[in-house]
Amino acid sequence: MADPFGFLKYSRVDNPYRQISERIGDWQELQIPLEEKERRKQAARCMNCGIPFCHSGSFYGSQRAVSGCPNDNLIPEWNDLLYQGQVQAAFERLARTNPLPEMTGRVCPAPCEKGCTESLNGDGVTIHDNERYIIDQAFEAGWVKAEGQPGAATGFKVAIVGSGPAGLAAAWRLNQLGHHVTVFERSDRFGGLLMYGIPNMKLDKEIVQRRIDLMEELGIAFVANTEVGVDISSEKLSQQFDRIILATGASVPRDLPVKGRQLQGIQFAVDYLTEVTKDVLKHGKDATSKKLAGKHVIVIGGGDTGNDCVGAAIRQGAKEVRQLEITPELPAKRTASNPWPEYPFVDKVGYGQAEAQAVYGRPVSQYSTSTTGFIGAERGQVIAVETVKVDEQFQPIAGTEEVFKADLILLAMGFTGAEQALFEAFDIKEIMDDYTTNNERVLVAGDAKRGPSLVIWGIREGRKAAEKVDASLRSLIYQ
């Protein structure tokens, strides 16, 4: 490394968040990126330790979460180049494995940082923020377009169904390799969860659209408002294209079938966040509406999506927000059963939860709380939620029942998997580890293959599936 003592000279400095009092009044991005001088110092903290925990994603212990980057990003290499001020070279090294670093540099939970050797006795390197800086500079300088130029045309045509992280990554890589790519999306806009599943303050939609626009400029075709099996048949798609990649995500939300579930005012989180984003796209991100003024909002689910719902509801003027989580509160520090380099299962306060604390003057999250039913008014509108505390085996504790007022309930309990109709349309009965299926013309990638996961997993699988398609198509030339 250019500065082998950087990790001793400089302390970790994250991109600061805007003040809560300011940011809850708009939909602008949360973070303020550091200037180049400070960014280079942060890159100097990477000591190229020779232990690949940061750039080799692995599951440890309980197998609950990956530690290190599952996309095999060459992190120490581009950190060193960034420190030296060779930002273009850093981008080129980053782009070897990650086609969409502007997305992961904003929304990835950074398991790479948790596996960083610096995390053993201190704070890991700011890999996430460094990545964002590199790609933002690359877009400004025009390097991304140059890197994405398609190779010699192969004459093969590939259809990609779904335009989320896996679909976009696959399309980008296939286009680079010289194939003609068409992306089909059933929604009105492209990006999948990047567009409609993550609110604007966390991932600005201009960032997503910037990538889509560039991909179109580089020759990738995008077809919106088109659902395969409804607007175009699987048979027709198979006739028109040499290969098809299904990258539709794990879009079936987990439901909560308890008493009163049919009441009005109970929504899946993804539907609510879609409405929020459409509202921002229509009215702009400089101000917030007060659609939820005077309303009591209950968010069921304690993950990132639930946190996003909390932040969005606050911006829409909710009078009160509560977040209910059935699992117990995590410890403040690692336990002996959760050592480095495992992903740390420790308590953390999300941006939305911090905002709720500031706005309402109390913690928003209630742990070890199970929802047992919903109460409605005569006209079928939800007015309250019934809860009970649970023990470590998730069994109800007598005498802990409680009722909370609710005008809107958001179910943010994750997803159960992919919709099966599309698999059935292509007669897919088996999906192999290498993305191929029993239908030799159809591959599956991303959450549609592995189930609900991180954006970086989708990017990796899209890229790998694209390279698998490329190899199979090129083999036809020599037959």
Side-chain angles (χ1 to χ4, degrees):
M1 301 299 287
D3 187 347
F5 302 106
F7 71 101
L8 297 174
K9 294 179 181 178
Y10 309 114
S11 299
R12 176 179 173 123
V13 179
D14 293 290
N15 285 340
Y17 276 47
R18 294 191 294 137
Q19 291 295 317
I20 290 176
S21 58
E22 172 193 340
R23 74 193 196 217
I24 61 173
D26 60 44
W27 300 96
Q28 299 284 357
E29 284 195 330
L30 297 165
Q31 290 186 319
I32 305 170
L34 297 178
E35 298 295 330
E36 179 182 0
K37 182 179 179 180
E38 186 59 46
R39 191 82 275 143
R40 289 175 65 182
K41 288 181 182 178
Q42 293 306 303
R45 296 186 67 243
C46 179
M47 55 187 175
N48 195 14
C49 57
I51 303 174
F53 288 116
C54 69
H55 59 87
S56 179
S58 301
F59 289 95
Y60 297 93
S62 64
Q63 305 290 301
R64 290 170 61 194
V66 71
S67 183
C69 182
N71 199 34
D72 305 320
N73 286 339
L74 305 172
I75 295 166
E77 297 180 28
W78 49 258
N79 266 330
D80 185 36
L81 290 166
L82 174 58
Y83 166 70
Q84 296 181 58
Q86 299 182 47
V87 183
Q88 183 173 2
F91 162 69
E92 291 170 352
R93 195 61 56 90
L94 170 61
R96 287 187 182 185
T97 54
N98 189 352
L100 307 172
E102 71 272 28
M103 314 302 179
T104 50
R106 286 170 166 81
V107 303
C108 187
C112 52
E113 295 182 7
K114 311 307 185 289
C116 173
T117 306
E118 279 288 286
S119 291
L120 177 58
N121 292 306
D123 297 319
V125 175
T126 57
I127 300 167
H128 176 274
D129 292 349
N130 293 356
E131 181 178 56
R132 171 176 173 168
Y133 177 82
I134 291 169
I135 186 60
D136 285 353
Q137 294 299 306
F139 264 106
E140 188 173 328
W143 303 331
V144 184
K145 181 178 180 180
E147 188 267 340
Q149 291 295 328
T154 64
F156 291 114
K157 297 193 297 183
V158 182
I160 297 174
V161 183
S163 64
L168 293 181
W172 181 266
R173 185 65 181 131
L174 284 165
N175 192 61
Q176 280 182 318
L177 293 166
H179 305 293
H180 183 274
V181 182
T182 302
V183 180
F184 293 90
E185 170 59 55
R186 67 181 178 184
S187 184
D188 62 327
R189 287 177 179 260
F190 304 102
L193 70 86
L194 299 172
M195 178 60 71
Y196 283 138
I198 302 172
N200 199 83
M201 64 280 197
K202 193 171 175 182
L203 176 59
D204 196 312
K205 303 316 157 191
E206 291 180 6
I207 298 297
V208 181
Q209 193 59 48
R210 178 179 64 179
R211 176 64 69 165
I212 303 297
D213 292 343
L214 177 58
M215 293 174 75
E216 287 187 307
E217 190 176 341
L218 290 169
I220 298 170
F222 285 88
V223 183
N225 298 307
T226 302
E227 183 172 0
V228 177
V230 177
D231 303 298
I232 183 172
S233 69
S234 57
E235 292 80 11
K236 188 172 183 179
L237 213 63
S238 298
Q239 293 168 3
Q240 293 179 348
F241 294 91
D242 300 290
R243 290 291 185 273
I244 299 166
I245 297 178
L246 303 183
T248 51
S251 54
V252 180
R254 182 173 284 106
D255 207 344
L256 186 59
V258 297
K259 179 190 66 175
R261 173 62 183 87
Q262 79 287 350
L263 293 169
Q264 298 174 26
I266 304 173
Q267 273 188 289
F268 287 117
V270 66
D271 295 331
Y272 168 70
L273 292 175
T274 297
E275 292 175 4
V276 166
T277 295
K278 287 186 175 182
D279 194 52
V280 174
L281 290 169
K282 181 178 180 180
H283 298 292
K285 55 190 176 183
D286 291 327
T288 59
S289 70
K290 299 302 176 186
K291 289 185 174 182
L292 296 180
K295 303 293 186 182
H296 294 75
V297 179
I298 301 288
V299 179
I300 301 177
D304 287 340
T305 300
N307 183 49
D308 290 339
C309 288
V310 171
I314 289 171
R315 283 162 177 77
Q316 291 190 328
K319 180 178 181 179
E320 181 184 57
V321 180
R322 292 182 184 273
Q323 187 174 22
L324 309 181
E325 171 57 49
I326 194 171
T327 62
E329 186 173 7
L330 292 170
K333 297 181 179 180
R334 286 182 183 270
T335 62
S337 62
N338 179 214
W340 177 88
E342 290 184 5
Y343 191 91
F345 289 100
V346 297
D347 186 42
K348 62 178 181 179
V349 178
Y351 74 92
Q353 294 158 343
E355 292 166 358
Q357 173 78 53
V359 172
Y360 305 118
R362 59 165 176 76
V364 69
S365 300
Q366 296 188 203
Y367 298 96
S368 300
T369 302
S370 176
T371 300
T372 56
F374 304 112
I375 301 172
E378 290 183 2
R379 296 185 179 182
Q381 173 68 34
V382 69
I383 59 172
V385 58
E386 298 175 327
T387 70
V388 66
K389 289 291 186 180
V390 295
D391 59 23
E392 293 182 354
Q393 285 73 46
F394 304 110
Q395 296 302 307
I397 301 173
T400 63
E401 296 81 1
E402 199 166 1
V403 175
F404 297 105
K405 187 174 181 180
D407 302 295
L408 174 64
I409 295 173
L410 302 174
L411 306 181
M413 303 176 296
F415 297 84
T416 60
E419 297 175 32
Q420 296 300 305
L422 196 58
F423 293 165
E424 294 168 1
F426 286 100
D427 195 32
I428 294 174
K429 296 180 172 60
E430 185 177 9
I431 304 172
M432 270 61 84
D433 290 341
D434 65 352
Y435 315 102
T436 59
T437 71
N438 57 286
N439 184 335
E440 65 178 5
R441 297 169 67 88
V442 181
L443 292 83
V444 181
D447 287 4
K449 169 180 168 286
R450 64 179 298 112
S453 192
L454 303 177
V455 168
I456 190 62
W457 272 116
I459 291 172
R460 171 190 169 83
E461 295 218 338
R463 174 172 62 88
K464 290 290 189 179
E467 290 169 355
K468 185 70 177 180
V469 166
D470 177 68
S472 69
L473 291 176
R474 291 183 187 276
S475 69
L476 299 177
I477 300 173
Y478 304 106
Q479 288 183 357

